Amino acid sequence: MSNVTKRGAGVSFIAISAFFISSKYISAAIYGSNQVSWNIELFSGLLGIVGDTLTHLSILAFVIGVAYIIWGEYEEWHFRKGKSTE
């Protein structure tokens, strides 16, 4: 797997993370769309109904994405360091 591919995979995982976290809030808003009035307590309750699964998946995808980016950057640095000593 090349460094560019690792970086692309990392960015993709971070985009998936953003999708998961936004899906949580959009789901809560859709779930409470029939409410006449809104306040912070109501929305917090709706977020509780949606659950923490999307938050956990978002954190996991974000960590994997950052790890892939760091891995790609490390290999690029290691390759350049080895090439400059030759």
Side-chain angles (χ1 to χ4, degrees):
M1 187 179 244
S2 72
N3 295 330
V4 175
T5 307
K6 287 184 183 95
R7 290 180 195 140
V11 170
S12 297
F13 273 107
I14 291 173
I16 290 169
S17 172
F19 175 75
F20 282 152
I21 202 70
S22 63
S23 294
K24 176 181 178 176
Y25 289 98
I26 291 171
S27 297
I30 290 171
Y31 189 73
S33 63
N34 63 348
Q35 300 296 322
V36 176
S37 65
W38 283 72
N39 59 26
I40 189 89
E41 292 84 19
L42 174 66
F43 195 68
S44 295
L46 293 170
L47 285 172
I49 291 170
V50 171
D52 291 332
T53 304
L54 289 172
T55 302
H56 295 307
L57 290 174
S58 176
I59 292 168
L60 180 65
F62 183 78
V63 169
I64 291 171
V66 169
Y68 263 105
I69 290 173
I70 290 172
W71 185 15
E73 291 296 323
Y74 173 76
E75 285 189 351
E76 179 71 25
W77 173 77
H78 189 67
F79 175 73
R80 287 185 185 199
K81 184 179 177 186
K83 197 171 188 179
S84 65
T85 59
E86 292 178 358

